[in-house]
Amino acid sequence: MNGGSEASARRARRNVVLTAAIAGLGGLLFGYDTGVIASALLFIKGDFDLGSFAQGLVVAAVPIGAVGGAAIAGPAADSYGRRLMILLSAVVFTVGALASAAAPGLGVLVVARVVIGVAIGLASAAAPVYISEVAPAESRGRLVSFFQLAVTIGILVAYLVGLAFDGIEGWRWMLGLGCVPALGLAFGMLRMPQSPRWLVMQGDDYAARAVLAKIRVDDPDTIDRELEEIEESVQTDAKPGAWSDLLQPAVKAALVVGIGLAILQQVTGINTVIYYAPTIIEFTGVNSSAGSILAAVGVGIINVGMTLVAIRLLDRAGRRTLLMIGVSGMVISLVALGGAFVGGGGSTVASVVAILSLMTFVASFAISLGPIFWLLNAEIYPLGVRSKAAGLGTMANWTFNFIVSLTFLLLIEALGRAGAFWFYAAIGVLTLWFCWKYVPETKGKPLEEIEAEFEARAASKAGAPLPPGPVEPVG
């Protein structure tokens, strides 16, 4: 490779990484709010005199809004572009964060958090799709996972903010500071390009070529080849905006994977740990709010560190391998966590086992279901329905986020602490079977090749002749 080609490759890598990193800040909004309510709730429940159900409602208000935001994001991203949806999410989040900080009572707080949820739903549906469409196939896994990395960083930052304001019980500061990453996302996205695939869908091949020239090696043949593949995909896919296209056999086969992982990511219990980490740690016998939040910071550090490991491995080890390893670790750690509470817990040994189990659970999630759901949900659908289908997967994810976060404390009352975590472990075993049976390996494959794989899967199920080309079997 000559000097000019090397410089072109470096420029392309820098531009595409910067684009993915800025869009990934949408995950920071998600993570910050998820983490900050865990700390703020310790003080909100006293100020507003909240019982278990009301506490769950404050937490679950965000998933309620996120379902609506994700529903809006799918068709709107097709009509107005992925980039505009990410920008809109930043503006809406800023409004919601400031309103929640100023809330005089439970009603206003819940409404403000629904608004925050709408913003997070928009960002979580649009940002991974946007990144997947600007990323080259060989690095798509780690670039889309910038979104999940931003989620984990947001959670850690939120725990640290919670610790900083613990002394003054400053939950309003904790919630209001969420506008800072939102404004950063808004200003950053103003400089980012549109998705080249969305531009081709709009018939603007000239603009799509100009974007590809910035985020790919400066080789006209390479750019022409990718543009031709995108154009062919647009011509063969269903018309953008038609919800009925989700009923096509190949799309339904992909939706089984996307929606299945969306649900399983939540019902294995991750957000019981993230939303209620300080509360769970209090269960172990740690009696101070500062001590509980500090232990939660340790969980947040593990989450960020292992997500960084996942980013390095996704395009090497592959999605399926990491899913099987990570979900197995989640099951084992949930069994151990439940065991720590047998007999009521409260001993030093039980506290150590519980905290180590929490950290192992989060580490296992961070290399598997955490990033891989968002990655697969952004890459397995045909271009013509990608935003709509990804939005549907995101809606399912947030719907079950709402159910799990609202029912966690009630589940503990019904099954006990040990029984609740063993219930999540049993769902983890089901998740292992689902990943083995249905999830394809997409490592290093162009988006158009992944689409062809699901077409082949649908044709095989229907007994029709397989389409030409190699197809990797699943299961």
Side-chain angles (χ1 to χ4, degrees):
M1 183 181 287
N2 59 42
S5 297
E6 289 177 353
S8 172
R10 285 195 300 271
R11 173 194 57 79
R13 281 195 300 271
R14 183 177 63 250
N15 287 345
V16 76
V17 168
L18 178 62
T19 302
I22 294 296
L25 286 176
L28 196 66
L29 307 184
F30 179 174
Y32 183 85
D33 183 79
T34 299
V36 84
I37 196 60
S39 302
L41 193 61
L42 295 175
F43 309 114
I44 293 172
K45 65 184 180 183
D47 284 0
F48 291 166
D49 191 24
L50 305 182
S52 292
F53 180 79
Q55 290 178 57
L57 188 60
V58 170
V59 172
V62 165
I64 292 171
V67 172
I72 296 167
D78 279 342
S79 298
Y80 305 108
R82 288 72 158 126
R83 175 175 169 269
L84 184 60
M85 289 303 99
I86 300 171
L87 273 167
L88 180 61
S89 74
V91 174
V92 175
F93 192 96
T94 300
V95 172
L98 294 176
S100 64
L106 178 63
V108 174
L109 179 60
V110 169
V111 171
R113 289 185 52 73
V114 170
V115 171
I116 288 172
V118 171
I120 293 176
L122 290 169
S124 57
V129 169
Y130 174 81
I131 299 170
S132 77
E133 292 186 348
V134 301
E138 65 273 10
S139 59
R140 189 175 61 247
R142 64 177 179 271
L143 291 178
V144 173
S145 294
F146 278 12
F147 180 83
Q148 179 65 18
L149 176 62
V151 172
T152 64
I153 292 173
I155 291 169
L156 177 57
V157 169
Y159 286 159
L160 291 171
V161 168
L163 190 62
F165 288 98
D166 172 74
I168 63 170
E169 299 187 1
W171 63 265
R172 296 185 186 276
W173 282 100
M174 298 178 196
L175 299 182
L177 285 172
C179 69
V180 175
L183 292 172
L185 174 63
F187 287 117
M189 284 305 297
L190 287 173
R191 298 175 59 88
M192 295 299 105
Q194 290 280 13
S195 156
R197 285 173 169 81
W198 180 79
L199 289 169
V200 171
M201 287 171 64
Q202 305 306 304
D204 196 345
D205 290 13
Y206 179 82
R209 182 185 296 276
V211 171
L212 287 171
K214 292 180 180 179
I215 59 176
R216 299 289 186 269
V217 176
D218 189 12
D219 177 8
D221 291 338
T222 300
I223 293 172
D224 286 344
R225 194 158 50 246
E226 181 166 356
L227 194 59
E228 287 173 6
E229 289 176 355
I230 296 171
E231 289 170 344
E232 181 180 348
S233 179
V234 169
Q235 290 168 4
T236 56
D237 280 342
K239 296 178 181 178
W243 285 96
S244 59
D245 297 330
L246 297 178
L247 300 177
Q248 293 181 355
V251 181
K252 287 195 292 185
L255 282 170
V256 167
V257 175
I259 293 179
L261 286 177
I263 294 170
L264 292 168
Q265 189 205 50
Q266 293 302 316
V267 296
T268 45
I270 182 58
N271 279 317
T272 65
V273 172
I274 301 302
Y275 286 135
Y276 294 104
T279 302
I280 294 171
I281 291 164
E282 282 187 344
F283 289 162
T284 71
V286 177
N287 295 320
S288 73
S289 60
S292 298
I293 296 172
L294 186 60
V297 168
V299 172
I301 291 171
I302 294 290
N303 200 6
V304 173
M306 293 307 293
T307 301
L308 287 169
V309 171
I311 288 173
R312 293 186 62 85
L313 293 178
L314 276 169
D315 288 316
R316 298 180 185 180
R319 286 62 154 155
R320 275 172 59 85
T321 301
L322 288 179
L323 276 173
M324 300 303 290
I325 293 171
V327 176
S328 297
M330 290 169 64
V331 171
I332 293 169
S333 57
L334 284 168
V335 171
L337 182 58
F341 292 115
V342 170
S347 68
T348 302
V349 172
S351 297
V352 170
V353 170
I355 291 172
L356 289 177
S357 298
L358 279 177
M359 291 183 173
T360 303
F361 175 77
V362 169
S364 301
F365 177 86
I367 65 167
S368 57
L369 280 174
I372 293 173
F373 159 66
W374 296 108
L375 171 56
L376 289 174
N377 194 52
E379 68 182 3
I380 61 175
Y381 306 116
L383 175 59
V385 295
R386 186 169 296 141
S387 284
K388 294 184 290 296
L392 202 60
T394 305
M395 287 172 62
N397 187 262
W398 281 107
T399 298
F400 280 85
N401 184 315
F402 162 71
I403 293 169
V404 170
S405 57
L406 185 64
T407 60
F408 173 59
L409 296 178
L410 300 174
L411 186 66
I412 284 180
E413 290 178 4
L415 300 180
R417 295 167 185 173
F421 291 114
W422 288 340
F423 173 77
Y424 294 131
I427 297 175
V429 174
L430 174 64
T431 304
L432 274 173
W433 172 83
F434 180 88
C435 294
W436 170 80
K437 179 73 175 177
Y438 292 107
V439 177
E441 182 54 72
T442 59
K443 178 185 70 173
K445 296 179 180 178
L447 295 175
E448 289 71 27
E449 185 178 333
I450 297 170
E451 178 183 346
E453 183 167 334
F454 279 102
E455 289 174 352
R457 185 182 295 192
S460 176
K461 184 176 180 180
L466 295 178
V471 176
E472 182 176 322
V474 177

